[in-house]
């Protein structure tokens, strides 16, 4: 029971939050860096704007789009609990019960 | 400087607004399950960052026209100083000192095809300049890649009375228009950086 709760905590919540948070950080840092370069009057400022600021913003946008098109599922987040094949599934007892009942009737 | 330029101020405000919107979406991620939240997220995480980056590129391009930008490289400083030569025959100095060209865009006014505003080759040459400036060896004498184009002069002087009524100009007008004859063949006192220390300088009336 406690194991299931732990998976819920670690698995489902970050699935929803993490990509947005990561994208937000990347884009915010990128935009702030880009803005800072506008106050620097030097050819290197443009290269820094595109090379570093632009890369951060692009990565953030890609992270956001990835989360959008992957339906909110994050590749790096732990996946929710998958029942082991050896363990009985919730449907199994009723099925067995049904078969058992049929057997009994026969 | 003192005051923040209008464009940079506007961009800074837009960046703050964008980050605020992103914070709202990150703090309330469940809102993205609704239509309004999805639109807000798309605007905050995609549309605005792309738009701001585009405006930033435009702001950098606009800023690269400034005299301050060109002279920010150490190797360009003598060319800036050559604008203060106190002799009328020196064409760039005469144009600068008599405010015939905007003082805050002195270099770009007469060198419009240079690096960021030129074609792809010019842009690659601009990158090469940055590489040479930091990692290579800057040549002692800096020269243009191509002969100076008369278009830069005729852009202002063409149709001007002093230019049109000058007999010498009338004789070679077609050749000047086609670049067969360069304006610099007669007006050859340009950025004489090698003789800079021996020439008198204009020190009055210059405003930063």
């Amino acid at each position: 029971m406690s194991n299931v709760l732990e998976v819920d905590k670690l698995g489902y919540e970050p699935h929803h939050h993490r990509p947005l948070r990561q994208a937000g950080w990347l884009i915010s840092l990128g935009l702030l860096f880009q803005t800072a370069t506008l106050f620097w009057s030097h050819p290197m400022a443009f290269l820094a704007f595109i090379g570093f600021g632009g890369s951060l913003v692009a990565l953030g946008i890609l992270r956001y789009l990835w989360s959008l098109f992957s339906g909110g599922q994050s590749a790096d987040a732990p996946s929710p609990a998958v029942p082991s094949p050896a363990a009985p599934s919730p449907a199994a007892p009723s099925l067995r019960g049904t078969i058992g009942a049929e057997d009994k009737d026969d | 400087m003192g005051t923040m330029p209008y464009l940079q101020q506007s961009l800074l405000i837009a960046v703050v607004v964008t980050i605020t919107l992103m914070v709202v979406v990150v703090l309330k991620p469940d809102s993205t399950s609704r239509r309004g939240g999805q639109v807000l997220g798309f605007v905050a995480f995609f549309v605005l960052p792309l738009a701001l980056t585009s405006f930033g590129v435009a702001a950098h391009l606009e800023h690269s026209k400034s005299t301050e930008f060109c002279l920010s490289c150490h190797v360009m400083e003598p060319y800036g100083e050559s604008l203060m030569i106190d002799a009328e025959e020196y064409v760039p100095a005469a144009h600068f000192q008599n405010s015939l060209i905007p003082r805050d865009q002195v270099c770009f006014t007469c060198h419009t095809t240079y690096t960021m505003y030129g074609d792809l080759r010019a842009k690659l040459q601009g990158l090469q300049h940055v590489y040479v400036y930091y990692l290579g060896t800057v040549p002692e004498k800096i020269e243009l890649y191509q002969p100076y184009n008369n278009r830069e002069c005729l852009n202002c002087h063409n149709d001007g009375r002093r230019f049109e009524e000058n007999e010498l100009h009338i004789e070679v007008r077609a050749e000047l228009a086609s670049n067969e004859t360069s304006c610099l063949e007669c007006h050859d006192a340009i950025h004489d950086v090698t003789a800079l220390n021996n020439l008198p300088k204009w020190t009055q009336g210059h405003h930063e």
Side-chain angles (χ1 to χ4, degrees):
Chain A
M1 185 64 182
S2 66
N3 191 27
V4 171
L5 286 175
E6 199 177 346
V7 168
D8 276 347
K9 200 175 174 183
L10 292 174
Y12 293 119
E13 193 182 11
H15 273 193
H16 206 57
H17 290 207
R18 197 178 292 175
L20 279 179
R21 209 168 48 233
Q22 287 174 342
W25 271 113
L26 286 168
I27 294 171
S28 299
L29 285 175
L31 288 177
L32 287 173
F33 185 83
Q34 286 183 342
T35 308
T37 64
L38 290 173
F39 296 92
W40 184 24
S41 185
H42 197 274
M44 280 300 289
F46 182 70
L47 294 179
F49 175 91
I50 290 291
F52 190 70
S55 299
L56 283 176
V57 171
L59 281 173
I61 289 174
L62 287 175
R63 188 78 183 97
Y64 167 71
L65 291 177
W66 178 258
S67 74
L68 207 65
F69 291 114
S70 63
Q73 294 292 313
S74 173
D76 52 357
S79 57
V82 178
S84 111
S89 68
S94 62
L95 183 65
R96 201 182 300 149
T98 312
I99 293 166
E102 283 168 3
D103 286 346
K104 213 172 186 178
D105 287 343
D106 292 339
Chain B
M1 291 286 282
T3 56
M4 194 187 289
Y6 175 73
L7 188 62
Q8 288 154 332
Q9 198 176 14
S10 308
L11 277 171
L12 186 61
I13 293 168
V15 165
V16 171
V17 169
T18 305
I19 291 174
T20 308
L21 286 177
M22 284 193 291
V23 168
V24 169
V25 175
V26 167
L27 290 179
K28 291 189 173 181
D30 295 333
S31 65
T32 54
S33 59
R34 292 187 296 273
R35 183 85 177 162
Q38 284 169 355
V39 171
L40 181 68
F42 189 72
V43 168
F45 284 84
F46 185 78
V47 177
L48 284 174
L50 273 186
L52 288 172
T53 301
S54 305
F55 284 128
V57 170
H60 268 289
L61 283 174
E62 187 62 27
H63 188 60
S64 68
K65 292 178 183 175
S66 71
T67 309
E68 182 194 15
F69 176 88
C70 299
L71 301 184
S72 66
C73 282
H74 181 62
V75 291
M76 284 290 122
E77 283 174 10
Y79 294 87
E81 285 176 35
S82 73
L83 299 172
M84 305 305 286
I85 295 172
D86 192 10
E88 210 168 291
E89 66 270 24
Y90 279 84
V91 178
H95 279 72
F96 173 76
Q97 291 167 28
N98 293 302
S99 295
L100 300 174
I101 49 177
R103 286 184 177 172
D104 56 347
Q105 294 186 356
V106 172
C107 311
F108 175 72
T109 305
C110 298
H111 298 280
T112 52
T113 57
Y114 212 60
T115 58
M116 281 167 76
Y117 276 88
D119 54 13
L120 182 64
R121 186 190 292 175
K123 287 180 176 64
L124 292 174
Q125 284 167 348
L127 281 176
Q128 191 192 353
H129 292 178
V130 175
Y131 172 79
V132 168
Y133 185 77
Y134 284 104
L135 302 168
T137 308
V138 179
E140 279 190 28
K141 190 179 181 188
I142 296 173
E143 290 180 336
L144 296 175
Y145 289 104
Q146 292 167 341
Y148 191 74
N149 197 325
N150 290 346
R151 182 194 60 197
E152 313 291 4
C153 306
L154 296 175
N155 188 36
C156 295
H157 290 282
N158 203 21
D159 293 334
R161 185 177 173 183
R162 272 174 65 188
F163 176 79
E164 295 288 342
E165 291 181 353
N166 185 305
E167 286 181 14
L168 289 172
H169 289 162
I170 293 169
E171 282 177 28
V172 293
R173 185 165 176 180
E175 293 169 30
L176 288 173
S178 61
N179 269 313
E180 282 176 55
T181 299
S182 172
C183 299
L184 305 185
E185 283 182 27
C186 296
H187 304 280
D188 57 352
I190 316 295
H191 298 285
D192 197 355
V193 292
T194 52
L196 204 57
N197 292 331
N198 305 321
L199 292 165
K201 303 287 184 334
W202 179 62
T203 52
Q204 290 181 340
H206 174 57
H207 304 287
E208 285 294 327

